[in-house]
Amino acid sequence: MRTGSLLLNRRIAVLLPLHKKYAELKSQFELKSYDLSLFQSRVEQNEHHKLGELVKKLEQELQESKEELKEKQVEHKKCVSTVSDLEKTIKTYGSEREGRLKALEKKIKSLKSEMQAMSKQLKAYQSERERLIMEKDAVANELASLEEQLITSKAQITALSETWGTHKSKVAATKLEYDQAESELNIGRSKLKECDSQINSISKEQQKLQQLLGDSNVERKKMENEVKRMEIEQKDCSSRVDKLMEKYSWIATEKQLFGKSGTDYDFASCEPHKAREELDNLQAQQSGLEKRVNKKVMAMFEKAEDEYNDLISKKNIIENDKSKIKKVIEELDEKKKETLKVTWLKVNKDFGSIFGTLLPGTMAKLDPPEGGTFLDGLEVRVAFGTVWKQSLSELSGGQRSLLALSLILALLLFKPAPLYILDEVDAALDLSHTQNIGRMIKAHFPQSQFIVVSLKEGMFNNANVIFRTKFVDGVSTVTRTVPSKQK
């Protein structure tokens, strides 16, 4: 029993990873089958399935034409046999030959006309059969090319999704840099506004200080003049007193009586006393003014004046730079308008010429909107013959593709590059349009080199060198061919 259980456990241990692998393969199979069903539903809805249905319909019509051709051949044989029988009856019946001959001749003519009509119908059916066979082959070839195009489109979608991710990250980084630059610009503007407000406040304070200083200087000069005048008068008086004392000796003996009431020298009612009082009052006013006037005001005023002059010079520099920047902006706007006008005229001319080459009998142009200029925008206008279309929605898908290709090539022709790469731009176009694209490239881009990827022979007719790729024994090979007209 123990050996049996051990063998069973070993068997289970061996089968467990196989079971897990089976479960994983089963889930992968279900996913792949679901993807296959989705792909089949997509295929039924895309152009390939529609082309397959069209091929089946054409094969059915071809079969019906073959059956109808067989029926017409049987009818032709019957007519031939009838003609032979009639000829025999003409020989056998000698009597009534004339009348019967005329009747039979009429009948033969009618039968011959019918036979000719039948032969014409037969030729028409044969030509229709050949046309249907050619269309079938063309549709089969186009179906194969579309399948290859589907594979390449899937690869392009994956590559474009990767490039979209990188461009998205670049856009985010650029937006972050733009936000930082805008915040710095706003900070600079706020600082500039603060500087302007400070300049205005300092200028107002300076005006007040200048006015106060002017008033103080006027008062001070008045007082200084008054003091000088009083000092001069005092000196004059003292000198006069000395002269009087020298001249009159009695003054020294009677000096002690000066100003006493009841004496001859009572000066209370005399003018010198009033002058003294006025002198005292003026001296008191001068001392009061000296206390009120701040001696540090001059230093503060000089400092404020230096700051004011510095701010004024900075303001003048900023205003000068501002005027220069405005002038440069105006010059750039004028250059931009002139460049836009030159570009518009050149691109408009090339656009019409290229579109006329791609689709003969048509015209195209870039017009400003009604009531506006080229600075307000440009509208694409298309004309067939002499009738201008009101909207681009009136054009077919192929015509829109040619219109877009013409506009892109006209823009590239404004500043031509040495090399261009076109990847199956003629995939949705007819053979005649493909040939027109090749002729247009030769006519309008003689100095540029084009690498064109295409699956249609019409594009190869205008090529200088053709590189064909194909699978040989599972390996992709490239063959180089030079057309005979280029050799």
Side-chain angles (χ1 to χ4, degrees):
M1 291 294 290
R2 288 182 180 177
T3 57
S5 62
L6 289 171
L7 290 171
L8 184 60
N9 290 329
R10 289 176 182 174
R11 185 69 175 169
I12 290 168
V14 171
L15 291 174
L16 276 174
L18 295 174
H19 177 69
K20 289 181 180 178
K21 190 172 182 180
Y22 170 75
E24 291 176 356
L25 291 172
K26 186 178 180 182
S27 63
Q28 290 179 2
F29 175 75
E30 291 175 352
L31 290 171
K32 296 296 182 182
S33 61
Y34 179 70
D35 292 336
L36 181 61
S37 63
L38 288 176
F39 181 74
Q40 287 177 353
S41 63
R42 289 177 184 172
V43 166
E44 290 177 357
Q45 294 175 0
N46 64 9
E47 295 293 332
H48 304 290
H49 183 71
K50 292 178 181 179
L51 290 171
E53 293 294 331
L54 181 60
V55 169
K56 290 180 181 178
K57 186 177 179 181
L58 292 172
E59 288 177 350
Q60 186 178 359
E61 291 178 356
L62 182 61
Q63 188 66 29
E64 291 176 357
S65 300
K66 287 180 179 179
E67 292 176 358
E68 192 173 356
L69 178 62
K70 289 179 180 179
E71 292 177 358
K72 297 296 181 182
Q73 287 176 352
V74 171
E75 289 180 0
H76 181 264
K77 289 180 180 179
K78 287 180 181 180
C79 291
V80 171
S81 63
T82 305
V83 170
S84 63
D85 292 338
L86 288 171
E87 288 177 350
K88 288 178 182 179
T89 54
I90 288 169
K91 291 178 181 179
T92 54
Y93 294 97
S95 62
E96 300 177 359
R97 182 178 180 184
E98 300 261 340
R100 285 187 176 234
L101 187 60
K102 290 179 180 179
L104 289 173
E105 282 179 355
K106 290 181 181 179
K107 195 171 183 180
I108 287 167
K109 286 181 180 179
S110 64
L111 289 172
K112 283 183 178 179
S113 63
E114 288 180 1
M115 187 174 68
Q116 289 177 357
M118 291 295 179
S119 63
K120 287 180 180 179
Q121 290 182 359
L122 180 63
K123 289 180 180 178
Y125 282 122
Q126 286 178 350
S127 63
E128 184 69 19
R129 175 175 172 272
E130 291 176 356
R131 187 182 65 80
L132 291 173
I133 291 170
M134 290 176 68
E135 286 184 357
K136 177 188 173 184
D137 294 337
V139 169
N141 293 330
E142 192 168 359
L143 181 62
S145 66
L146 288 173
E147 288 177 353
E148 293 178 0
Q149 184 181 356
L150 179 63
I151 295 169
T152 55
S153 298
K154 287 181 179 179
Q156 288 177 359
I157 287 168
T158 55
L160 288 172
S161 61
E162 293 176 358
T163 55
W164 178 76
T166 57
H167 286 306
K168 188 177 181 182
S169 61
K170 288 181 181 179
V171 168
T174 307
K175 187 177 182 182
L176 182 61
E177 293 177 357
Y178 171 76
D179 294 335
Q180 291 178 355
E182 189 174 9
S183 63
E184 291 177 357
L185 180 62
N186 293 327
I187 291 169
R189 287 176 177 172
S190 62
K191 288 182 178 178
L192 186 61
K193 288 181 180 179
E194 290 178 358
C195 289
D196 290 336
S197 61
Q198 289 179 1
I199 288 168
N200 292 328
S201 61
I202 290 170
S203 63
K204 290 179 182 178
E205 291 179 358
Q206 184 187 11
Q207 289 176 359
K208 291 180 181 178
L209 290 172
Q210 283 179 348
Q211 187 176 0
L212 182 61
L213 183 62
D215 296 338
S216 301
N217 288 330
V218 170
E219 291 292 331
R220 183 173 60 82
K221 287 180 180 179
K222 287 181 179 179
M223 297 302 294
E224 287 177 353
N225 293 329
E226 190 68 23
V227 169
K228 287 179 180 179
R229 188 179 63 80
M230 296 297 290
E231 288 177 351
I232 292 168
E233 288 180 355
Q234 184 180 5
K235 288 179 181 180
D236 291 338
C237 290
S238 60
S239 62
R240 286 175 65 187
V241 167
D242 293 335
K243 288 178 180 179
L244 288 171
M245 288 179 69
E246 289 177 0
K247 188 176 180 180
Y248 303 103
S249 59
W250 58 269
I251 293 174
T253 57
E254 295 183 2
K255 186 177 180 180
Q256 65 274 9
L257 298 176
F258 290 168
K260 290 183 179 181
S261 61
T263 63
D264 294 333
Y265 306 105
D266 187 4
F267 302 124
S269 58
C270 295
E271 192 68 27
H273 184 67
K274 291 180 180 180
R276 185 65 180 177
E277 288 180 355
E278 290 178 1
L279 178 61
D280 293 337
N281 291 329
L282 291 172
Q283 287 177 351
Q285 288 179 5
Q286 184 181 6
S287 62
L289 288 173
E290 287 177 355
K291 292 178 181 179
R292 281 189 296 171
V293 174
N294 190 0
K295 296 180 179 179
K296 295 180 180 180
V297 170
M298 291 300 297
M300 292 172 64
F301 172 75
E302 291 176 358
K303 184 178 179 181
E305 188 176 12
D306 293 335
E307 291 177 355
Y308 171 77
N309 292 327
D310 188 20
L311 290 172
I312 289 296
S313 63
K314 289 181 179 178
K315 181 182 178 183
N316 292 330
I317 292 169
I318 291 170
E319 287 178 352
N320 190 16
D321 293 340
K322 183 179 179 182
S323 62
K324 288 181 180 178
I325 291 169
K326 283 184 177 179
K327 187 176 180 181
V328 170
I329 290 171
E330 290 174 357
E331 292 176 357
L332 290 175
D333 286 336
E334 291 296 325
K335 289 181 180 178
K336 180 185 73 174
K337 291 178 182 178
E338 187 65 25
T339 306
L340 281 174
K341 186 175 180 181
V342 172
T343 306
W344 168 47
L345 294 175
K346 180 71 168 59
V347 171
N348 191 19
K349 181 181 177 182
D350 295 333
F351 177 48
S353 178
I354 291 172
F355 187 70
T357 305
L358 294 178
L359 202 63
T362 60
M363 293 183 291
K365 63 180 179 179
L366 299 171
D367 273 349
E370 188 174 359
T373 62
F374 66 95
L375 298 174
D376 301 325
L378 295 172
E379 295 177 349
V380 178
R381 300 289 306 280
V382 179
F384 287 82
T386 57
V387 179
W388 291 94
K389 298 293 183 181
Q390 297 297 324
S391 174
L392 297 182
S393 59
E394 298 179 18
L395 305 179
S396 64
Q399 291 169 350
R400 292 181 191 175
S401 300
L402 291 175
L403 188 67
L405 180 63
S406 301
L407 182 57
I408 292 170
L409 291 176
L411 291 171
L412 294 174
L413 193 59
F414 181 70
K415 286 188 177 180
L419 179 65
Y420 297 97
I421 299 175
L422 302 180
D423 188 10
E424 292 188 17
V425 295
D426 58 342
L429 301 177
D430 297 333
L431 184 60
S432 62
H433 294 158
T434 303
Q435 293 175 351
N436 291 336
I437 289 174
R439 285 197 292 268
M440 180 275 298
I441 290 173
K442 262 194 170 180
H444 291 84
F445 293 88
Q447 304 299 327
S448 299
Q449 185 178 6
F450 278 78
I451 298 175
V452 183
V453 181
S454 178
L455 299 173
K456 296 185 178 180
E457 291 292 333
M459 187 67 77
F460 305 155
N461 297 334
N462 297 281
N464 297 327
V465 181
I466 301 172
F467 295 90
R468 288 185 172 89
T469 60
K470 61 181 179 179
F471 278 104
V472 178
D473 297 331
V475 179
S476 180
T477 60
V478 180
T479 59
R480 183 178 184 274
T481 306
V482 180
S484 59
K485 61 183 179 180
Q486 300 295 335
K487 291 180 180 179

